[in-house]
Amino acid sequence: MKKALITWITWQDGSYLAELLIEKWYEVHWLKRRSSSYNTERIDHIYEWPEIKNRKLILHYSDMTDSANLIKLVSEIKPDEIYNLAAQSHVWVSFEIPEYTTNCDAMGTLRLLEAIRVAWLEKTCKFYQASTSELFGWMDYNRPESWYNENSPMHPRSPYWCAKLYAMWIARNYKESYWMFCSNWILFNHESPRRWETFVTRKITMAVAKIKLWLQEKLYLWNLDAKRDWWHAKDYVEAMRLILQQDKPDDYVIATWESNTVRDFVNWSFEEVWIKLEWKWTWIDEKWYDKATWKYLVEVDPKYFRPAEVDFLLWDSSKARNVLWWNPKYSVRELCSEMVKSDIEKFRKDELLKAHGFEILNQYE
Ligand code: NAP
Ligand code: F7E
């Protein structure tokens, strides 16, 4: 049985990846940092699987800022594969806590690579680094043919991306220096019903569900014209697994070739609950109202403005498609529909439980 170590599965990618690896008969070790509140709702269901009786999902407490603990764990577990997903991954937050972001995302990656060397696993342990699409800064509008690929020049535009750039290069450096199997996935935005609530897609689908259920009045957003290549996280975790099954380490861009605005995602989400929005320009910004009721439902709040922004990127993922035969299964509209439906179901259930005085408690920690 192969052993995989995933640095954190309490959120989106890690939880889908853990499901996938358990199905493939891996023994999965996962790291979790201590939290004063329960935060394992995305993985609690895995412990209910009948398969878990015969296979293994093992929890270890750790933190990417704690070298000694990482060395101890890697030495004890001796994993065949390490998937480094842990990160302070919120771009706007990284402007508020740049030093912590660098410590966790950049130095954390270095600590993990060193832990592999200290444990003498350089020749046996494969390392996956979750890199990010926005390392490349912005699209050159004058050269629309210049889609980015693995070799394009980089220009990160936030402390988060600067930290991820270091992480990508230190992984490349360990590959070249010590002949370690280190591969980077350069990933675009991938979303799902398990997405953290402050990323724009989940913020939108949660608000739409609450507005539909009369639990929220309005949704406040910022840059509605920003374009993103959104796709389903399930498609991406399959790609993560594939990259470590190759004979040689390499870096790959993962993208779908489709880009849509935040405005599009808002419209699609409201369409899912049969609300048709109309735009209105005020003297400073724009507002959206429900055509049927004339109620204002979406407004712009400058609070979310970022000191530097990436408005638009297009990527060429032909290498991943040709070498790994990776092809996404979900469309962005299917993703949006799944997220809205899942949030409606979640809030209905929460309201029902509240009405009956129940609280859901986590039992696996
Ligand atoms: P996410 O929802 O932000 O989850 C990140 C995980 O890292 C959380 O479980 C968090 O733990 C953990 N973490 C944060 N600080 C930590 C620390 N000091 N020590 C240990 N763990 C820590 O991220 P995601 O969307 O699943 O993405 C997974 C990875 O892919 C990240 O590295 C991200 O940068 C990268 N990526 C994501 C996207 C995307 O669109 N989703 C695109 C490109 C790259 P807590 O649960 O304790 O907070
Ligand atoms: O913003 C705009 C915002 O925070 C998308 C991370 O997973 O993907 C993610 O980073 C766009 C931006 O994701 C709001 O200004 C408008 O242009 O969902 P986001 P992100 O910054 O693209 C990359 C690839 C990663 O690596 C990251 O880890 O939407 N936007 N109004 C807003 N964004 C947020 N969060 N909230 C708003 O109200």
Side-chain angles (χ1 to χ4, degrees):
M1 192 184 263
K2 268 193 190 171
K3 281 189 206 169
L5 171 63
I6 309 180
T7 60
W8 286 272
I9 63 171
T10 41
W11 286 90
Q12 175 182 272
D13 292 13
S15 62
Y16 284 122
L17 181 64
E19 283 174 9
L20 182 75
L21 294 182
I22 287 168
E23 275 168 8
K24 305 271 177 206
W25 283 93
Y26 276 71
E27 177 177 301
V28 177
H29 294 257
W30 63 285
L31 308 184
K32 179 184 183 307
R33 59 181 172 159
R34 199 257 163 184
S35 161
S36 49
S37 54
Y38 288 119
N39 64 357
T40 55
E41 65 178 83
R42 285 160 180 80
I43 51 161
D44 289 342
H45 65 280
I46 305 182
Y47 283 94
E48 308 284 352
W49 286 6
E51 294 96 319
I52 282 293
K53 291 203 181 77
N54 308 321
R55 305 178 208 183
K56 286 193 182 148
L57 180 59
I58 301 158
L59 161 71
H60 307 269
Y61 277 92
S62 186
D63 198 299
M64 293 303 280
T65 57
D66 186 339
S67 315
N69 170 276
L70 290 173
I71 291 172
K72 175 178 157 281
L73 287 175
V74 173
S75 307
E76 278 173 13
I77 299 166
K78 297 193 177 14
D80 301 292
E81 294 172 9
I82 295 183
Y83 296 84
N84 185 26
L85 303 182
Q88 189 307 91
S89 73
H90 201 282
V91 177
W92 185 77
V93 174
S94 78
F95 285 103
E96 302 284 310
I97 46 169
E99 187 180 328
Y100 171 76
T101 305
T102 307
N103 192 4
C104 174
D105 300 7
M107 296 301 291
T109 307
L110 174 66
R111 289 183 189 107
L112 207 48
L113 288 164
E114 272 300 290
I116 298 174
R117 289 190 61 224
V118 172
W120 299 97
L121 297 175
E122 303 100 303
K123 299 286 172 283
T124 54
C125 179
K126 293 181 170 180
F127 182 81
Y128 162 88
Q129 172 61 21
S131 215
T132 166
S133 57
E134 290 166 52
L135 293 176
F136 293 82
W138 59 70
M139 189 80 192
D140 181 352
Y141 286 96
N142 300 321
R143 292 175 56 231
E145 77 286 359
S146 60
W147 287 31
Y148 289 109
N149 65 26
E150 294 77 3
N151 302 314
S152 303
M154 299 181 192
H155 184 150
R157 301 254 298 158
S158 72
Y160 162 70
W161 292 317
C162 291
K164 282 282 186 180
L165 184 60
Y166 175 85
M168 182 165 103
W169 273 102
I170 198 69
R172 284 178 172 176
N173 178 261
Y174 272 52
K175 177 176 75 174
E176 289 166 9
S177 310
Y178 306 116
W179 298 90
M180 283 168 62
F181 191 112
C182 299
S183 293
N184 285 285
W185 260 141
I186 304 167
L187 302 163
F188 255 103
N189 302 50
H190 43 285
E191 320 289 318
S192 76
R194 297 185 195 171
R195 184 65 149 146
W196 193 32
E197 289 84 352
T198 61
F199 290 108
V200 79
T201 54
R202 188 74 201 286
K203 184 174 165 186
I204 295 168
T205 60
M206 280 175 61
V208 168
K210 284 188 171 176
I211 289 170
K212 174 75 184 163
L213 300 173
W214 300 83
L215 300 169
Q216 183 172 328
E217 295 248 311
K218 255 183 217 168
L219 164 63
Y220 291 96
L221 294 167
W222 174 242
N223 184 358
L224 299 166
D225 294 315
K227 285 184 123 185
R228 289 292 184 273
D229 181 347
W230 287 296
W231 218 253
H232 203 300
K234 277 188 185 171
D235 279 327
Y236 280 92
V237 298
E238 173 58 22
M240 286 178 196
R241 194 189 67 83
L242 276 177
I243 197 175
L244 290 197
Q245 309 316 310
Q246 304 307 304
D247 294 333
K248 284 194 201 138
D250 208 344
D251 300 340
Y252 300 87
V253 158
I254 277 287
T256 66
W257 293 328
E258 193 184 329
S259 203
N260 295 286
T261 59
V262 172
R263 194 186 300 270
D264 291 329
F265 205 91
V266 172
N267 266 321
W268 299 333
S269 305
F270 276 100
E271 275 169 28
E272 287 295 323
V273 295
W274 305 99
I275 294 177
K276 194 93 194 110
L277 293 174
E278 192 74 30
W279 290 95
K280 187 177 172 181
W281 283 92
T282 64
W283 63 282
I284 38 170
D285 52 37
E286 53 187 317
K287 294 179 173 188
W288 289 9
Y289 60 91
D290 177 355
K291 263 173 109 175
T293 61
W294 286 82
K295 260 179 79 178
Y296 283 102
L297 297 183
V298 185
E299 288 190 24
V300 167
D301 184 345
K303 189 168 81 189
Y304 302 107
F305 170 76
R306 294 172 182 187
E309 170 73 293
V310 173
D311 290 319
F312 178 44
L313 286 170
L314 268 182
W315 280 62
D316 177 5
S317 60
S318 355
K319 181 173 164 189
R321 289 168 195 256
N322 295 337
V323 177
L324 305 172
W325 296 83
W326 176 80
N327 264 314
K329 296 187 190 81
Y330 289 80
S331 73
V332 66
R333 289 303 297 264
E334 283 167 336
L335 165 70
C336 175
S337 170
E338 184 185 330
M339 288 175 74
V340 174
K341 283 182 185 135
S342 154
D343 279 329
I344 292 178
E345 197 184 315
K346 174 184 162 29
F347 293 125
R348 271 209 185 113
K349 202 166 136 198
D350 287 356
E351 287 305 298
L352 204 70
L353 286 169
K354 252 195 253 161
H356 289 84
F358 290 119
E359 220 184 309
I360 311 168
L361 284 181
N362 174 312
Q363 335 148 30
Y364 300 108
E365 246 179 290

